[in-house]
CSV table of all heavy atoms in Angstrom, one decimal:
chain,number,residue,atom,x,y,z
A,356,VAL,N,120.0,-69.3,111.1
A,356,VAL,CA,120.0,-70.6,110.5
A,356,VAL,C,120.1,-71.4,111.9
A,356,VAL,O,121.2,-71.4,112.5
A,356,VAL,CB,121.3,-70.9,109.6
A,356,VAL,CG1,121.3,-72.3,109.3
A,356,VAL,CG2,121.2,-69.9,108.4
A,357,LEU,N,119.2,-72.3,112.1
A,357,LEU,CA,119.2,-73.1,113.3
A,357,LEU,C,120.2,-74.2,113.1
A,357,LEU,O,120.9,-74.6,114.0
A,357,LEU,CB,117.7,-73.7,113.5
A,357,LEU,CG,117.6,-74.6,114.8
A,357,LEU,CD1,117.8,-73.8,116.1
A,357,LEU,CD2,116.2,-75.2,114.7
A,358,SER,N,120.2,-74.8,111.9
A,358,SER,CA,121.2,-75.8,111.6
A,358,SER,C,121.3,-76.1,110.1
A,358,SER,O,120.4,-75.6,109.4
A,358,SER,CB,120.7,-77.2,112.3
A,358,SER,OG,119.6,-77.7,111.6
A,359,ASN,N,122.4,-76.7,109.8
A,359,ASN,CA,122.6,-77.0,108.3
A,359,ASN,C,123.2,-78.3,108.3
A,359,ASN,O,124.0,-78.7,107.4
A,359,ASN,CB,123.7,-75.9,107.7
A,359,ASN,CG,123.6,-75.8,106.3
A,359,ASN,OD1,122.7,-76.0,105.5
A,359,ASN,ND2,124.8,-76.0,105.7
A,360,ALA,N,122.6,-79.2,109.0
A,360,ALA,CA,123.0,-80.6,108.9
A,360,ALA,C,122.6,-81.3,107.8
A,360,ALA,O,121.5,-81.1,107.2
A,360,ALA,CB,122.5,-81.3,110.3
A,361,ASN,N,123.5,-82.1,107.3
A,361,ASN,CA,123.2,-83.0,106.1
A,361,ASN,C,122.7,-82.2,104.9
A,361,ASN,O,122.0,-82.5,104.0
A,361,ASN,CB,122.0,-83.9,106.4
A,361,ASN,CG,122.5,-84.9,107.6
A,361,ASN,OD1,123.7,-85.4,107.6
A,361,ASN,ND2,121.5,-85.2,108.5
A,362,GLY,N,123.2,-80.9,104.8
A,362,GLY,CA,122.9,-80.0,103.6
A,362,GLY,C,121.5,-79.4,103.6
A,362,GLY,O,121.1,-78.8,102.7
A,363,SER,N,120.7,-79.7,104.8
A,363,SER,CA,119.4,-79.1,104.7
A,363,SER,C,119.4,-78.0,105.7
A,363,SER,O,119.5,-78.2,107.0
A,363,SER,CB,118.4,-80.3,105.1
A,363,SER,OG,117.1,-79.7,105.3
A,364,ALA,N,119.2,-76.7,105.2
A,364,ALA,CA,119.2,-75.6,106.2
A,364,ALA,C,117.8,-75.4,106.8
A,364,ALA,O,116.9,-75.3,106.2
A,364,ALA,CB,119.5,-74.4,105.4
A,365,ILE,N,117.8,-75.3,108.2
A,365,ILE,CA,116.6,-75.1,109.0
A,365,ILE,C,116.6,-73.6,109.4
A,365,ILE,O,117.6,-73.1,110.0
A,365,ILE,CB,116.6,-75.9,110.2
A,365,ILE,CG1,116.6,-77.5,109.9
A,365,ILE,CG2,115.3,-75.6,111.1
A,365,ILE,CD1,115.6,-77.9,109.0
A,366,ILE,N,115.7,-72.8,108.9
A,366,ILE,CA,115.8,-71.4,109.1
A,366,ILE,C,114.7,-70.9,110.0
A,366,ILE,O,113.6,-71.4,109.9
A,366,ILE,CB,115.6,-70.6,107.6
A,366,ILE,CG1,116.5,-71.3,106.6
A,366,ILE,CG2,115.6,-69.2,107.7
A,366,ILE,CD1,118.0,-71.0,106.9
A,395,MET,N,114.5,-74.6,104.3
A,395,MET,CA,114.4,-73.5,103.3
A,395,MET,C,115.3,-74.0,102.0
A,395,MET,O,116.4,-74.3,102.2
A,395,MET,CB,114.7,-72.3,103.7
A,395,MET,CG,114.3,-71.0,103.0
A,395,MET,SD,114.6,-69.4,103.8
A,395,MET,CE,113.9,-68.3,102.8
A,397,ASP,N,117.6,-74.0,98.7
A,397,ASP,CA,118.7,-73.1,98.3
A,397,ASP,C,118.3,-71.8,97.4
A,397,ASP,O,118.6,-70.8,97.7
A,397,ASP,CB,119.6,-73.8,97.5
A,397,ASP,CG,120.3,-75.0,98.2
A,397,ASP,OD1,120.2,-74.9,99.4
A,397,ASP,OD2,120.8,-76.0,97.6
A,400,ILE,N,116.7,-69.3,99.8
A,400,ILE,CA,117.7,-68.7,100.5
A,400,ILE,C,118.5,-67.6,99.8
A,400,ILE,O,118.8,-66.4,100.3
A,400,ILE,CB,118.8,-69.7,101.1
A,400,ILE,CG1,118.2,-70.6,102.1
A,400,ILE,CG2,120.1,-69.0,101.6
A,400,ILE,CD1,118.9,-71.7,102.5
A,410,MET,N,123.9,-67.4,113.5
A,410,MET,CA,123.8,-68.7,114.1
A,410,MET,C,124.1,-68.8,115.5
A,410,MET,O,124.8,-67.8,116.0
A,410,MET,CB,124.7,-69.7,113.3
A,410,MET,CG,124.4,-69.8,111.7
A,410,MET,SD,125.5,-71.0,110.8
A,410,MET,CE,124.9,-72.5,111.4
A,416,ASN,N,125.8,-81.3,115.9
A,416,ASN,CA,125.5,-80.9,114.4
A,416,ASN,C,125.3,-79.4,114.2
A,416,ASN,O,125.4,-79.0,113.1
A,416,ASN,CB,124.3,-81.7,114.1
A,416,ASN,CG,124.6,-83.2,114.1
A,416,ASN,OD1,125.7,-83.7,113.9
A,416,ASN,ND2,123.5,-83.9,114.3
A,417,HIS,N,125.2,-78.6,115.2
A,417,HIS,CA,124.9,-77.3,115.1
A,417,HIS,C,126.3,-76.4,115.2
A,417,HIS,O,126.3,-75.1,115.2
A,417,HIS,CB,124.0,-76.8,116.2
A,417,HIS,CG,122.6,-77.4,116.1
A,417,HIS,ND1,121.6,-76.9,115.3
A,417,HIS,CD2,122.2,-78.5,116.7
A,417,HIS,CE1,120.6,-77.7,115.5
A,417,HIS,NE2,120.9,-78.7,116.2
A,418,GLU,N,127.4,-77.1,115.2
A,418,GLU,CA,128.7,-76.3,115.4
A,418,GLU,C,128.8,-75.5,114.3
A,418,GLU,O,128.6,-75.8,113.1
A,418,GLU,CB,129.8,-77.4,115.4
A,418,GLU,CG,131.1,-76.7,115.7
A,418,GLU,CD,132.3,-77.7,115.9
A,418,GLU,OE1,132.0,-78.9,115.8
A,418,GLU,OE2,133.3,-77.2,116.2
A,420,ASN,N,130.8,-72.8,111.6
A,420,ASN,CA,132.0,-72.4,111.0
A,420,ASN,C,131.6,-71.7,109.7
A,420,ASN,O,130.5,-71.7,109.3
A,420,ASN,CB,133.0,-73.6,110.7
A,420,ASN,CG,132.3,-74.6,109.8
A,420,ASN,OD1,132.0,-74.3,108.7
A,420,ASN,ND2,132.1,-75.8,110.4
A,422,GLU,N,132.2,-72.1,106.9
A,422,GLU,CA,132.0,-72.7,105.6
A,422,GLU,C,130.6,-72.8,105.2
A,422,GLU,O,130.3,-72.8,103.8
A,422,GLU,CB,132.1,-74.3,105.8
A,422,GLU,CG,133.7,-74.7,106.1
A,422,GLU,CD,133.9,-76.1,106.2
A,422,GLU,OE1,133.0,-76.9,106.1
A,422,GLU,OE2,135.1,-76.6,106.5
A,423,ILE,N,129.5,-72.4,106.0
A,423,ILE,CA,128.3,-72.2,105.5
A,423,ILE,C,128.0,-71.2,104.4
A,423,ILE,O,127.2,-71.2,103.5
A,423,ILE,CB,127.3,-71.9,106.8
A,423,ILE,CG1,125.8,-72.1,106.2
A,423,ILE,CG2,127.5,-70.5,107.2
A,423,ILE,CD1,124.8,-72.1,107.5
A,424,LEU,N,128.9,-70.1,104.5
A,424,LEU,CA,128.9,-69.1,103.5
A,424,LEU,C,129.3,-69.5,102.0
A,424,LEU,O,129.0,-68.8,101.1
A,424,LEU,CB,129.8,-68.0,103.9
A,424,LEU,CG,129.4,-67.3,105.2
A,424,LEU,CD1,130.4,-66.1,105.5
A,424,LEU,CD2,128.0,-66.7,105.1
A,425,SER,N,129.8,-70.7,101.9
A,425,SER,CA,130.1,-71.2,100.6
A,425,SER,C,129.2,-72.4,100.2
A,425,SER,O,129.3,-72.9,99.1
A,425,SER,CB,131.6,-71.8,100.7
A,425,SER,OG,131.8,-72.9,101.5
A,426,LYS,N,128.1,-72.6,101.0
A,426,LYS,CA,127.2,-73.6,100.7
A,426,LYS,C,126.2,-73.3,99.7
A,426,LYS,O,126.0,-72.0,99.5
A,426,LYS,CB,126.3,-74.1,101.9
A,426,LYS,CG,127.3,-74.6,103.1
A,426,LYS,CD,127.9,-76.0,102.6
A,426,LYS,CE,128.7,-76.6,103.8
A,426,LYS,NZ,129.4,-77.8,103.4
A,427,PRO,N,125.6,-74.1,98.8
A,427,PRO,CA,124.6,-73.6,97.9
A,427,PRO,C,123.6,-72.8,98.5
A,427,PRO,O,123.0,-73.2,99.6
A,427,PRO,CB,124.1,-75.1,97.4
A,427,PRO,CG,125.1,-76.0,97.6
A,427,PRO,CD,125.9,-75.6,98.8
A,429,PHE,N,123.5,-70.1,100.1
A,429,PHE,CA,124.1,-69.0,100.8
A,429,PHE,C,125.3,-68.4,100.1
A,429,PHE,O,125.5,-67.3,100.2
A,429,PHE,CB,124.8,-69.8,102.2
A,429,PHE,CG,123.7,-70.3,103.1
A,429,PHE,CD1,123.4,-71.6,103.2
A,429,PHE,CD2,123.0,-69.3,104.0
A,429,PHE,CE1,122.6,-72.2,103.9
A,429,PHE,CE2,122.0,-70.0,104.8
A,429,PHE,CZ,121.9,-71.3,104.9
Side-chain angles (χ1 to χ4, degrees):
V356 182
L357 180 64
S358 71
N359 191 43
N361 302 318
S363 179
I365 306 299
I366 308 298
M395 198 168 181
D397 296 338
I400 291 173
M410 297 185 75
N416 291 333
H417 300 269
E418 186 175 3
N420 57 64
E422 291 180 2
I423 192 171
L424 297 177
S425 62
K426 299 293 184 181
F429 294 101

